Structures are given as C-alpha cells and as structure tokens.
Amino acid sequence: MEQKLNVSSNPHVRDRMTTSRIMLMVVLALMPATLFGIWNFGFHAFLVVVVTVLSSVAFEWIYDHFMHKPNTVKDFSAVVTGLLLALNMPPQIPLWMPVLGSAFAIIVVKQLFGGLGQNFMNPALGARCFLMISFAARMTDFSVSDSFRGVVDTVTGATPLAALKSQGFVEGVSVPVKNLFLGNIQGTIGETSALAILIGAAILLAFKIIDLKIPLTYIGSFAVFVICYMLGTGMGFDVNYLLSHLFGGGLMLGAWFMATDYVTSPITPKGQIVYGVCLGIVTGVFRLLGGSAEGVSYAIIFCNLLVPLIERATYPVAFGKGGKKA
C-alpha cells in the first residue's frame, strides 16, 4: 500500500530553542537589573514591576479570549514586554499608569498588528513613548522616597543626564561615573546600574540569545558621535563626559535588551550593522542636539520603522545571481 507523506515547506531544520525558552532566558537576564532596581528604590518599585507584568499577561489573555484566538500567554512574550516596560518606569509612578501602558503595549502595538512576530515596533518602548507623550510630567518625575539608596550631587530628583544637559559637565562633580556604573543614581527602575545590565547581557550572549553586532555597533557609533560632538564644540576630549553618556540613561538597557528584539531588528548581518549605526547616530542627535536629555526610546522606535528599508538594501544576493559571466 502506498504511503502518502505530508511534506511541509522548507526549512526543515529543528532546534531545541523555542519561543518560550528564549523569553524565559530574557527574563532571567533581566533579573540583575530588576532586583537591583527594587533594592535601590524600595517597595513601590517592586509593586510597579509586579503590576506591570501581571497586567501585560492579563491583557494578552483577555484579547486572545475575546478574539477567539489561541492563547499565547504561555510563550512568555507578554511577561518580557511587561518586565521591560516596568524597568522603563520611574520608581514612584502611580500604579494605574503602568497598567495603561501595558494595555497599549499588548493590545495596540502587539495584538492589533497580528501578535508576536508582526508588530512593527518594540511594544514596551511604544508604550513608554505613549506614556511620555501623554503624561510627560509624571514620566519625567524621578523624585524618590527616603528608602532610596542612591546619591546624585546635583539637583534632587533629576537624572544625571538631565543635570548634564542643564548644567554642563564638571569633572567629578556633575555626574559621578562610578555611581553611574554601579547604579547609585536617579532614573527609571531598570536603567540605573550599567553593571547589572551588563551581567544580564553576558547571560544572553552565553546562551546565544543575541550576538554582538547590534549592541556593539550601537554603542560604538554613539560613542563616536559623542567624541565628534566634544571636538566639534571645542569641549575637547573628556573621557568622563563620554562615560557619562555611555553609562547614563537608557543606552545600555536599550542596546542589549530592546534594540536586539528579534521582531523589530534586521535579520541580515549587514543590516544589523547598518541598524546599529543608525541607532547610535539618531540617539546622539536626540540627546546632544535635541531638547531632551534622553533619546534612546525614540531612537529605537524610529529605527524600527527603517528596518524594512534596511533589510531590502542589505538582502544578500542569491548564489549564482549578479556575478559576471565567465
């Protein structure tokens, strides 16, 4: 008796790494920054993390249920979105705002465009920018309670980058680079400690969840932009000023955890390098030439929109095509 085989379209290579496994590894890698943020800012920061993650998962389940779609809560992508959004929140923000941000991230940015794999921008960053535009005062208020363990030598409640923008750089006074690296500063819950973020990045690299192309080209091109800015404005090269911009704000968190998002970053190797360079330049323009002290979130979203063009320009030529005739 002839047996019929159901052969699907290629590729047929299978890997043990599933979507849920990747998402769990990202959650694990975010734990150092999350735990440090909770330790640094206190119990309310813990509530922000818990509420944002739970509300993201809840909105995912609710949308799938009422749209009669397969439940995707178990792939843990909503957990990652909620955790990243929470780490981009000020530590004393009212709890209803992260819930609103979760609804925007999951329903508007992710699900209305087809769910995981179809969203055109990073959901967590899209929600953060939505909240920044809608509630600018709340989203830029980094005043903290007495339980805060950080120290900034300038304006109480101002982030180091805001102080750097408004007062200019005074070596060793305006922005202590050691505090920037360790995390004893004001800022969002997950962006303050570059050390904790780098530990998480090492976990992602060790398990081959990401590679170095996008983060290094992003950070490197931004560093070049800052150096050119220093020399072009007559400031002269100052390593502390450069390190303040590299370790301050959301650059490290954005470069290692959000710019590397599989869905919203290029898949071509050359495209990833172009993407990283674009991120560095746009971040530099927003930070140094714009009116805001920060610019990572808007830079990543802007470059997310360029990904289709970048992939089209860097798509590899098929074997045997485009070469000269023998």
Side-chain angles (χ1 to χ4, degrees):
M1 182 178 179
E2 183 181 355
Q3 182 180 6
K4 294 183 179 181
L5 301 178
N6 183 12
V7 180
S8 62
S9 61
N10 61 328
H12 303 293
V13 178
R14 296 292 183 266
D15 191 277
R16 294 179 61 189
M17 191 63 73
T18 62
T19 299
S20 58
R21 193 181 185 93
I22 291 172
M23 295 300 171
L24 285 174
M25 293 307 304
V26 175
V27 171
L28 175 64
L30 286 169
M31 281 299 102
T34 303
L35 295 176
F36 181 85
I38 293 172
W39 177 84
N40 205 23
F41 293 114
F43 183 68
H44 191 82
F46 170 75
L47 290 179
V48 172
V49 172
V50 172
V51 168
T52 312
V53 172
L54 291 180
S55 59
S56 295
V57 173
F59 285 122
E60 179 108 337
W61 184 90
I62 291 170
Y63 184 90
D64 288 340
H65 177 74
F66 286 100
M67 293 295 106
H68 306 289
K69 296 177 60 178
N71 193 289
T72 55
V73 170
K74 292 182 180 179
D75 65 13
F76 296 102
S77 61
V79 175
V80 172
T81 297
L83 186 55
L84 284 172
L85 178 59
L87 297 183
N88 279 280
M89 293 289 102
Q92 297 298 320
I93 195 167
L95 295 179
W96 62 266
M97 287 183 62
V99 174
L100 178 62
S102 297
F104 187 86
I106 297 298
I107 297 176
V108 178
V109 180
K110 181 182 177 182
Q111 295 290 4
L112 290 183
F113 285 90
L116 182 64
Q118 305 298 321
N119 48 284
F120 67 98
M121 70 171 67
N122 185 286
L125 287 182
R128 188 196 185 204
C129 291
F130 163 72
L131 293 175
M132 285 283 292
I133 294 171
S134 304
F135 312 101
R138 289 283 194 179
M139 289 294 292
T140 56
D141 180 11
F142 296 99
S143 58
V144 292
S145 63
D146 294 337
S147 62
F148 174 61
R149 298 173 175 81
V151 177
V152 171
D153 297 331
T154 53
V155 181
T156 301
T159 64
L161 287 184
L164 194 65
K165 188 83 171 179
S166 62
Q167 300 182 13
F169 183 78
V170 180
E171 182 176 355
V173 177
S174 291
V175 184
V177 176
K178 178 183 177 182
N179 287 354
L180 281 168
F181 183 72
L182 296 179
N184 298 321
I185 56 172
Q186 279 96 339
T188 65
I189 295 172
E191 74 179 14
T192 56
S193 176
L195 176 60
I197 294 169
L198 290 174
I199 292 172
I203 294 174
L204 294 180
L205 292 170
F207 288 95
K208 298 182 179 180
I209 304 299
I210 65 171
D211 61 28
L212 293 171
K213 290 188 188 70
I214 293 175
L216 288 192
T217 51
Y218 184 3
I219 297 170
S221 58
F222 176 72
V224 171
F225 190 98
V226 174
I227 293 172
C228 293
Y229 174 82
M230 288 190 291
L231 299 178
T233 56
M235 182 187 305
F237 181 77
D238 193 316
V239 66
N240 286 327
Y241 184 85
L242 176 61
L243 292 176
S244 296
H245 273 289
L246 292 181
F247 295 147
L251 179 65
M252 288 294 166
L253 185 64
W256 293 103
F257 287 95
M258 288 176 281
T260 56
D261 178 25
Y262 289 172
V263 179
T264 56
S265 60
I267 60 174
T268 60
K270 290 181 181 179
Q272 291 174 354
I273 294 174
V274 172
Y275 178 66
V277 172
C278 289
L279 284 168
I281 294 173
V282 175
T283 302
V285 170
F286 284 161
R287 269 197 188 183
L288 300 175
L289 305 180
S292 175
E294 185 57 274
V296 171
S297 297
Y298 292 110
I300 294 177
I301 285 180
F302 178 79
C303 291
N304 286 163
L305 302 179
L306 298 179
V307 167
L309 297 177
I310 293 173
E311 288 185 333
R312 181 177 297 180
T314 59
Y315 195 79
V317 179
F319 180 77
K321 301 288 185 180
K324 294 182 178 179
K325 293 183 178 180

